[in-house]
Amino acid sequence: MDLFENGYLGLEALPGLDAYVVAIALAFAFGLAMDCEVLLLARIKEYWDRGYANNDAVASGLQRSGRIITSAAAIIIAVFIGFVFGELAVVQQVGVALVIIVALDATLVRMLLVPATMTLLGKWNWWAPKPLVKIYNRFGTHD
């Protein structure tokens, strides 16, 4: 049996994606991306609060959380690859979409674009409007 006999990887060739497949894939991808983003930024913020310079905080936060994000992405990708071997075309489409989205998010966005942008922005990463600063100073969480 040829790998590409019935379309790529044996998947059924369809004329297009259903609208709800795109909506489901984007909703799941957004949720997963936000989890990884919060983890990464929380680690970077910890180092910033300890008095590290911006570039050092970004590098240390990325170093501390990079393996966790990569491992989590690998596990999630393995789960979504299982969707590709499902019987329903919709499940296969969602699986392929989520594998691509998670792989791009974990590599390009979390490990390249976010640290690069935070390095370029410098102290502007930590800017907040004055009313929010006042609210945070009054009610915010502190160690």
Side-chain angles (χ1 to χ4, degrees), residues 11-46:
L11 297 177
E12 179 183 346
L14 297 173
L17 291 175
D18 291 325
Y20 61 89
V21 171
V22 176
I24 289 171
L26 289 176
F28 276 101
F30 180 78
L32 294 169
M34 287 303 104
D35 286 345
C36 292
E37 182 70 15
V38 167
L39 176 67
L40 176 61
L41 293 181
R43 296 297 163 252
I44 293 171
K45 178 85 167 84
E46 285 177 5

Side-chain angles (χ1 to χ4, degrees), residues 9 11 80 83-84 91-101:
L9 302 175
L11 297 177
F80 290 145
F83 287 16
V84 175
V91 174
Q92 293 174 340
Q93 290 175 354
V94 169
V96 170
L98 288 174
V99 165
I100 293 169
I101 290 170

Side-chain angles (χ1 to χ4, degrees), residues 4-90:
F4 301 105
E5 183 177 304
N6 296 325
Y8 294 113
L9 302 175
L11 297 177
E12 179 183 346
L14 297 173
L17 291 175
D18 291 325
Y20 61 89
V21 171
V22 176
I24 289 171
L26 289 176
F28 276 101
F30 180 78
L32 294 169
M34 287 303 104
D35 286 345
C36 292
E37 182 70 15
V38 167
L39 176 67
L40 176 61
L41 293 181
R43 296 297 163 252
I44 293 171
K45 178 85 167 84
E46 285 177 5
Y47 285 104
W48 174 258
D49 289 343
R50 290 182 191 165
Y52 283 59
N54 181 68
N55 292 352
D56 295 333
V58 171
S60 298
L62 181 63
Q63 182 180 23
R64 185 166 173 200
S65 63
R67 288 179 288 182
I68 296 169
I69 292 172
T70 304
S71 299
I75 292 168
I76 292 169
I77 286 171
V79 169
F80 290 145
I81 284 175
F83 287 16
V84 175
F85 298 108
E87 294 293 321
L88 295 173
V90 173

